[in-house]
Amino acid sequence: MIALVSTQQTGVVREDDWDGFGQRLTGSGTTRFTGARVETEHVYDFAQRFRYQTAFYQHVLLATLAGIGLAVERDAAQGVKHRSRMYSHGNAAVPRDDAQVLQVVGQISSWAWATRAAVLQAAESLQQAYVAHVSDDEALIALRNQLAEVEAAQAQVIASDWIPRAATELFNALGASDTRTRLALDRHWRNARTVASHNPVIYKARNIGNWLVNGEAPTFIWQIGNGEKTAG
């Protein structure tokens, strides 16, 4: 069963105790329920949920990672463009003319582009799952749901690797002065790593491999807590 509980009542206390080092809004903090009231019309049969919801929720995190990649690309390009200080053993008079520095920016941009492409492909798979959802073809619905979940997982494997790498590589295109606190360029890595940690990518890769090799459907439902395996 799924229940929607109103937080506008004395029996619900929300604590702002999430202290993650990135993406502060991704943490819900602790919520305590003491005699909280649940209206009958706000209780739903879990089996009636839309079946591609896991991939849909994952897409929010994927889009966030893609956005972080865009921010890293922007800061790399702008930082190099306006930087005038150059190392004596570099390849040009200014960073924007140094082939190796330009290579770093190009690599960052490519990681960001590939991540966006993967996220868009996963979105298309979600759309196909939605279209199938309103049909009467159970086999098609099952296939589209599996594809949506698998492609969301594939995009997560890519994004969870490439975007934190891009955020680290950013500093190879810049200099020590760009580590100043007021610039907060470290936020890109912190944000990307925090988002990627919400659902361990190792299990995503395992699901993909198990689906391809053994034809096993990916895990659609899971939880974190006591470690007991959840069916589905």
Side-chain angles (χ1 to χ4, degrees):
M1 305 297 287
I2 301 175
L4 300 181
V5 182
S6 172
T7 59
Q8 305 302 311
Q9 54 178 303
T10 57
V12 179
V13 177
R14 292 180 294 172
E15 300 179 6
D16 186 17
D17 56 357
W18 166 255
D19 62 351
F21 57 63
Q23 284 291 325
R24 299 301 300 272
L25 295 181
T26 61
S28 58
T30 301
T31 301
R32 303 185 186 280
F33 301 93
T34 306
R37 179 179 177 81
V38 181
E39 303 297 336
T40 302
E41 61 269 25
H42 292 163
V43 178
Y44 305 91
D45 185 347
F46 188 73
Q48 294 179 349
R49 74 195 189 286
F50 61 98
R51 288 162 56 181
Y52 56 90
Q53 71 171 21
T54 302
F56 180 80
Y57 295 154
Q58 294 301 302
H59 201 74
V60 176
L61 298 178
L62 287 171
T64 302
L65 283 167
I68 295 170
L70 281 174
V72 176
E73 178 188 53
R74 175 202 65 208
D75 288 345
Q78 291 300 310
V80 170
K81 181 178 181 179
H82 297 293
R83 185 173 175 79
S84 59
R85 290 164 58 86
M86 187 65 190
Y87 290 100
S88 60
H89 55 316
N91 303 298
V94 290
R96 64 178 176 273
D97 293 330
D98 189 311
Q100 285 184 279
V101 173
L102 295 176
Q103 179 181 353
V104 172
V105 177
Q107 181 65 72
I108 289 171
S109 179
S110 298
W111 281 328
W113 181 90
T115 297
R116 293 198 304 275
V119 173
L120 288 172
Q121 175 59 41
E124 176 60 28
S125 189
L126 268 177
Q127 176 65 22
Q128 294 302 318
Y130 166 75
V131 172
H133 183 69
V134 297
S135 74
D136 295 324
D137 190 335
E138 186 59 34
L140 178 63
I141 292 173
L143 175 61
R144 291 302 185 188
N145 286 338
Q146 288 188 28
L147 286 173
E149 186 64 34
V150 167
E151 292 195 12
Q154 289 171 324
Q156 187 173 346
V157 169
I158 290 172
S160 296
D161 180 17
W162 287 348
I163 300 306
R165 286 173 66 185
T168 296
E169 195 70 10
L170 169 65
F171 294 95
N172 285 332
L174 303 177
S177 60
D178 293 296
T179 65
R180 287 174 292 182
T181 303
R182 68 177 179 82
L183 297 178
L185 291 178
D186 61 313
R187 74 187 186 280
H188 297 315
W189 184 90
R190 291 186 290 102
N191 289 340
R193 184 61 265 174
T194 300
V195 171
S197 296
H198 272 65
N199 294 296
V201 71
I202 57 174
Y203 301 135
K204 297 296 184 182
R206 182 199 66 190
N207 272 344
I208 297 166
N210 200 23
W211 184 72
L212 289 171
V213 175
N214 299 314
E216 291 287 338
T219 304
F220 291 99
I221 306 167
W222 66 87
Q223 64 186 25
I224 185 169
N226 58 18
E228 294 181 0
K229 188 172 182 179
T230 303

